[in-house]
Amino acid sequence: MNVPPPPSAPRLGDLERAVMELLWSGAADRPQGASVREVLEGLPADRDLAYTTVMTVLDRLAKKGLVTRERDGRAWRYTPAGTRESLTAETMRASLGDATDRRTALLHFLDGATPEELDDLRAALSEVEQRRG
């Protein structure tokens, strides 16, 4: 059974990726989400970012469906809409969907895999096959 790839997986810029990493890493500690100020304070100080820049990035991530936001007084609190792994899977599916020859693209990917990565792939395939019966 072929599962069609999503129409497009979101591509992240460097700052978007840094914000997502911060939200993912703090998700367990902050189940209520993080404010713009908390995200700004959690990013490396050497970036010298303005509050409004971080606010714009979080708004873009919300529009892309990568974060959800909920009002907390006058501010918003942001939480990741999915896991790092689910975003990686979406990106992989979209990339494969862009290839004219999926099998060749997969072979190129697998040619660069380590033995451990191949073992992980075999175990994942086995698990998927068991779930599908």
Side-chain angles (χ1 to χ4, degrees), residues 96-122:
L96 279 175
D98 291 344
T100 51
D101 184 347
R102 289 173 67 145
R103 183 180 190 89
T104 301
L106 282 167
L107 286 170
H108 281 290
F109 173 75
L110 294 172
D111 278 341
T114 66
E116 294 80 15
E117 289 168 334
L118 292 172
D119 288 343
D120 288 343
L121 284 167
R122 284 185 198 97

mmCIF file of all heavy atoms in Angstrom, residues 96-122:
data_model
loop_
_atom_site.group_PDB
_atom_site.id
_atom_site.type_symbol
_atom_site.label_atom_id
_atom_site.label_comp_id
_atom_site.label_asym_id
_atom_site.label_seq_id
_atom_site.Cartn_x
_atom_site.Cartn_y
_atom_site.Cartn_z
ATOM 1 N N LEU A 96 10.979 12.285 -0.647
ATOM 2 C CA LEU A 96 10.767 11.123 -1.520
ATOM 3 C C LEU A 96 9.682 11.403 -2.549
ATOM 4 O O LEU A 96 9.765 10.949 -3.686
ATOM 5 C CB LEU A 96 10.389 9.889 -0.696
ATOM 6 C CG LEU A 96 11.551 9.152 -0.060
ATOM 7 C CD1 LEU A 96 11.039 8.023 0.835
ATOM 8 C CD2 LEU A 96 12.496 8.601 -1.108
ATOM 9 N N GLY A 97 8.670 12.153 -2.152
ATOM 10 C CA GLY A 97 7.600 12.505 -3.079
ATOM 11 C C GLY A 97 8.074 13.401 -4.198
ATOM 12 O O GLY A 97 7.515 13.400 -5.287
ATOM 13 N N ASP A 98 9.130 14.176 -3.940
ATOM 14 C CA ASP A 98 9.695 15.066 -4.956
ATOM 15 C C ASP A 98 10.563 14.316 -5.961
ATOM 16 O O ASP A 98 10.819 14.816 -7.048
ATOM 17 C CB ASP A 98 10.553 16.157 -4.294
ATOM 18 C CG ASP A 98 9.735 17.150 -3.491
ATOM 19 O OD1 ASP A 98 8.500 17.201 -3.671
ATOM 20 O OD2 ASP A 98 10.339 17.872 -2.664
ATOM 21 N N ALA A 99 11.037 13.125 -5.602
ATOM 22 C CA ALA A 99 11.940 12.363 -6.466
ATOM 23 C C ALA A 99 11.164 11.744 -7.626
ATOM 24 O O ALA A 99 10.052 11.261 -7.458
ATOM 25 C CB ALA A 99 12.634 11.268 -5.664
ATOM 26 N N THR A 100 11.768 11.768 -8.798
ATOM 27 C CA THR A 100 11.122 11.132 -9.948
ATOM 28 C C THR A 100 11.250 9.615 -9.867
ATOM 29 O O THR A 100 10.414 8.899 -10.392
ATOM 30 C CB THR A 100 11.729 11.639 -11.275
ATOM 31 O OG1 THR A 100 13.146 11.517 -11.212
ATOM 32 C CG2 THR A 100 11.345 13.081 -11.526
ATOM 33 N N ASP A 101 12.282 9.131 -9.199
ATOM 34 C CA ASP A 101 12.491 7.690 -9.025
ATOM 35 C C ASP A 101 12.743 7.425 -7.539
ATOM 36 O O ASP A 101 13.874 7.523 -7.064
ATOM 37 C CB ASP A 101 13.671 7.232 -9.881
ATOM 38 C CG ASP A 101 13.901 5.727 -9.846
ATOM 39 O OD1 ASP A 101 13.317 5.039 -8.966
ATOM 40 O OD2 ASP A 101 14.676 5.231 -10.676
ATOM 41 N N ARG A 102 11.674 7.083 -6.835
ATOM 42 C CA ARG A 102 11.775 6.893 -5.384
ATOM 43 C C ARG A 102 12.742 5.786 -5.008
ATOM 44 O O ARG A 102 13.503 5.913 -4.054
ATOM 45 C CB ARG A 102 10.392 6.576 -4.802
ATOM 46 C CG ARG A 102 9.450 7.753 -4.808
ATOM 47 C CD ARG A 102 8.078 7.340 -4.380
ATOM 48 N NE ARG A 102 8.109 6.950 -2.978
ATOM 49 C CZ ARG A 102 7.136 7.149 -2.128
ATOM 50 N NH1 ARG A 102 6.039 7.736 -2.522
ATOM 51 N NH2 ARG A 102 7.228 6.770 -0.886
ATOM 52 N N ARG A 103 12.712 4.712 -5.750
ATOM 53 C CA ARG A 103 13.585 3.573 -5.429
ATOM 54 C C ARG A 103 15.062 3.973 -5.507
ATOM 55 O O ARG A 103 15.850 3.646 -4.631
ATOM 56 C CB ARG A 103 13.276 2.402 -6.359
ATOM 57 C CG ARG A 103 14.072 1.160 -6.047
ATOM 58 C CD ARG A 103 13.727 0.024 -7.016
ATOM 59 N NE ARG A 103 14.290 -1.202 -6.581
ATOM 60 C CZ ARG A 103 13.704 -2.084 -5.767
ATOM 61 N NH1 ARG A 103 12.505 -1.824 -5.301
ATOM 62 N NH2 ARG A 103 14.302 -3.185 -5.418
ATOM 63 N N THR A 104 15.429 4.713 -6.551
ATOM 64 C CA THR A 104 16.808 5.164 -6.696
ATOM 65 C C THR A 104 17.177 6.132 -5.573
ATOM 66 O O THR A 104 18.285 6.066 -5.024
ATOM 67 C CB THR A 104 17.027 5.817 -8.068
ATOM 68 O OG1 THR A 104 16.709 4.846 -9.079
ATOM 69 C CG2 THR A 104 18.455 6.283 -8.258
ATOM 70 N N ALA A 105 16.260 7.015 -5.217
ATOM 71 C CA ALA A 105 16.517 7.940 -4.112
ATOM 72 C C ALA A 105 16.745 7.160 -2.818
ATOM 73 O O ALA A 105 17.668 7.468 -2.051
ATOM 74 C CB ALA A 105 15.359 8.915 -3.956
ATOM 75 N N LEU A 106 15.925 6.145 -2.573
ATOM 76 C CA LEU A 106 16.101 5.319 -1.373
ATOM 77 C C LEU A 106 17.442 4.589 -1.400
ATOM 78 O O LEU A 106 18.121 4.485 -0.371
ATOM 79 C CB LEU A 106 14.958 4.307 -1.249
ATOM 80 C CG LEU A 106 13.640 4.868 -0.729
ATOM 81 C CD1 LEU A 106 12.503 3.868 -0.935
ATOM 82 C CD2 LEU A 106 13.768 5.227 0.739
ATOM 83 N N LEU A 107 17.820 4.086 -2.561
ATOM 84 C CA LEU A 107 19.108 3.397 -2.672
ATOM 85 C C LEU A 107 20.270 4.343 -2.384
ATOM 86 O O LEU A 107 21.221 3.969 -1.687
ATOM 87 C CB LEU A 107 19.262 2.757 -4.048
ATOM 88 C CG LEU A 107 18.423 1.491 -4.264
ATOM 89 C CD1 LEU A 107 18.446 1.072 -5.722
ATOM 90 C CD2 LEU A 107 18.914 0.367 -3.369
ATOM 91 N N HIS A 108 20.195 5.569 -2.878
ATOM 92 C CA HIS A 108 21.252 6.553 -2.580
ATOM 93 C C HIS A 108 21.302 6.823 -1.077
ATOM 94 O O HIS A 108 22.385 6.911 -0.494
ATOM 95 C CB HIS A 108 21.009 7.864 -3.335
ATOM 96 C CG HIS A 108 21.421 7.814 -4.761
ATOM 97 N ND1 HIS A 108 22.733 7.754 -5.174
ATOM 98 C CD2 HIS A 108 20.680 7.824 -5.896
ATOM 99 C CE1 HIS A 108 22.783 7.722 -6.485
ATOM 100 N NE2 HIS A 108 21.546 7.764 -6.957
ATOM 101 N N PHE A 109 20.148 6.940 -0.457
ATOM 102 C CA PHE A 109 20.091 7.162 0.983
ATOM 103 C C PHE A 109 20.716 5.988 1.729
ATOM 104 O O PHE A 109 21.542 6.164 2.623
ATOM 105 C CB PHE A 109 18.636 7.363 1.411
ATOM 106 C CG PHE A 109 18.448 7.442 2.908
ATOM 107 C CD1 PHE A 109 18.804 8.582 3.600
ATOM 108 C CD2 PHE A 109 17.907 6.375 3.611
ATOM 109 C CE1 PHE A 109 18.634 8.665 4.975
ATOM 110 C CE2 PHE A 109 17.735 6.439 4.984
ATOM 111 C CZ PHE A 109 18.102 7.592 5.669
ATOM 112 N N LEU A 110 20.329 4.772 1.346
ATOM 113 C CA LEU A 110 20.808 3.577 2.039
ATOM 114 C C LEU A 110 22.293 3.315 1.793
ATOM 115 O O LEU A 110 22.974 2.761 2.663
ATOM 116 C CB LEU A 110 19.966 2.362 1.631
ATOM 117 C CG LEU A 110 18.507 2.425 2.079
ATOM 118 C CD1 LEU A 110 17.710 1.288 1.461
ATOM 119 C CD2 LEU A 110 18.406 2.411 3.587
ATOM 120 N N ASP A 111 22.804 3.707 0.631
ATOM 121 C CA ASP A 111 24.230 3.539 0.352
ATOM 122 C C ASP A 111 25.092 4.288 1.367
ATOM 123 O O ASP A 111 26.205 3.873 1.666
ATOM 124 C CB ASP A 111 24.579 4.034 -1.060
ATOM 125 C CG ASP A 111 24.286 3.000 -2.124
ATOM 126 O OD1 ASP A 111 24.164 1.802 -1.787
ATOM 127 O OD2 ASP A 111 24.169 3.402 -3.305
ATOM 128 N N GLY A 112 24.572 5.385 1.905
ATOM 129 C CA GLY A 112 25.342 6.159 2.875
ATOM 130 C C GLY A 112 25.071 5.779 4.323
ATOM 131 O O GLY A 112 25.628 6.378 5.239
ATOM 132 N N ALA A 113 24.217 4.782 4.537
ATOM 133 C CA ALA A 113 23.841 4.399 5.901
ATOM 134 C C ALA A 113 24.925 3.556 6.563
ATOM 135 O O ALA A 113 25.601 2.759 5.914
ATOM 136 C CB ALA A 113 22.524 3.624 5.876
ATOM 137 N N THR A 114 25.052 3.729 7.869
ATOM 138 C CA THR A 114 25.982 2.908 8.649
ATOM 139 C C THR A 114 25.324 1.552 8.926
ATOM 140 O O THR A 114 24.097 1.414 8.786
ATOM 141 C CB THR A 114 26.303 3.581 9.997
ATOM 142 O OG1 THR A 114 25.109 3.614 10.781
ATOM 143 C CG2 THR A 114 26.859 4.979 9.806
ATOM 144 N N PRO A 115 26.094 0.562 9.325
ATOM 145 C CA PRO A 115 25.498 -0.727 9.686
ATOM 146 C C PRO A 115 24.439 -0.581 10.797
ATOM 147 O O PRO A 115 23.408 -1.248 10.763
ATOM 148 C CB PRO A 115 26.695 -1.560 10.161
ATOM 149 C CG PRO A 115 27.863 -0.987 9.430
ATOM 150 C CD PRO A 115 27.568 0.495 9.332
ATOM 151 N N GLU A 116 24.686 0.310 11.754
ATOM 152 C CA GLU A 116 23.718 0.522 12.832
ATOM 153 C C GLU A 116 22.423 1.119 12.299
ATOM 154 O O GLU A 116 21.333 0.746 12.726
ATOM 155 C CB GLU A 116 24.310 1.433 13.924
ATOM 156 C CG GLU A 116 25.472 0.836 14.680
ATOM 157 C CD GLU A 116 26.808 0.930 13.918
ATOM 158 O OE1 GLU A 116 26.930 1.700 12.932
ATOM 159 O OE2 GLU A 116 27.739 0.191 14.302
ATOM 160 N N GLU A 117 22.535 2.063 11.367
ATOM 161 C CA GLU A 117 21.333 2.670 10.771
ATOM 162 C C GLU A 117 20.555 1.625 9.968
ATOM 163 O O GLU A 117 19.319 1.603 10.010
ATOM 164 C CB GLU A 117 21.723 3.847 9.877
ATOM 165 C CG GLU A 117 22.217 5.052 10.661
ATOM 166 C CD GLU A 117 22.868 6.115 9.791
ATOM 167 O OE1 GLU A 117 23.398 5.793 8.703
ATOM 168 O OE2 GLU A 117 22.871 7.270 10.222
ATOM 169 N N LEU A 118 21.271 0.749 9.271
ATOM 170 C CA LEU A 118 20.595 -0.313 8.525
ATOM 171 C C LEU A 118 19.877 -1.272 9.477
ATOM 172 O O LEU A 118 18.752 -1.714 9.193
ATOM 173 C CB LEU A 118 21.587 -1.062 7.634
ATOM 174 C CG LEU A 118 22.145 -0.246 6.459
ATOM 175 C CD1 LEU A 118 23.257 -1.022 5.749
ATOM 176 C CD2 LEU A 118 21.040 0.135 5.488
ATOM 177 N N ASP A 119 20.504 -1.577 10.606
ATOM 178 C CA ASP A 119 19.845 -2.415 11.615
ATOM 179 C C ASP A 119 18.572 -1.740 12.133
ATOM 180 O O ASP A 119 17.533 -2.386 12.299
ATOM 181 C CB ASP A 119 20.787 -2.707 12.792
ATOM 182 C CG ASP A 119 21.894 -3.681 12.427
ATOM 183 O OD1 ASP A 119 21.772 -4.383 11.395
ATOM 184 O OD2 ASP A 119 22.893 -3.733 13.178
ATOM 185 N N ASP A 120 18.658 -0.428 12.376
ATOM 186 C CA ASP A 120 17.472 0.320 12.814
ATOM 187 C C ASP A 120 16.368 0.272 11.764
ATOM 188 O O ASP A 120 15.184 0.108 12.087
ATOM 189 C CB ASP A 120 17.829 1.779 13.124
ATOM 190 C CG ASP A 120 18.628 1.945 14.406
ATOM 191 O OD1 ASP A 120 18.641 1.011 15.242
ATOM 192 O OD2 ASP A 120 19.238 3.025 14.575
ATOM 193 N N LEU A 121 16.746 0.409 10.503
ATOM 194 C CA LEU A 121 15.755 0.346 9.419
ATOM 195 C C LEU A 121 15.099 -1.032 9.328
ATOM 196 O O LEU A 121 13.880 -1.140 9.167
ATOM 197 C CB LEU A 121 16.412 0.703 8.081
ATOM 198 C CG LEU A 121 16.677 2.181 7.857
ATOM 199 C CD1 LEU A 121 17.609 2.377 6.676
ATOM 200 C CD2 LEU A 121 15.380 2.930 7.632
ATOM 201 N N ARG A 122 15.907 -2.072 9.457
ATOM 202 C CA ARG A 122 15.349 -3.432 9.423
ATOM 203 C C ARG A 122 14.363 -3.633 10.576
ATOM 204 O O ARG A 122 13.276 -4.198 10.390
ATOM 205 C CB ARG A 122 16.467 -4.471 9.512
ATOM 206 C CG ARG A 122 17.232 -4.658 8.227
ATOM 207 C CD ARG A 122 18.248 -5.806 8.352
ATOM 208 N NE ARG A 122 19.232 -5.702 7.318
ATOM 209 C CZ ARG A 122 20.441 -5.141 7.453
ATOM 210 N NH1 ARG A 122 20.836 -4.657 8.607
ATOM 211 N NH2 ARG A 122 21.269 -5.080 6.435
#
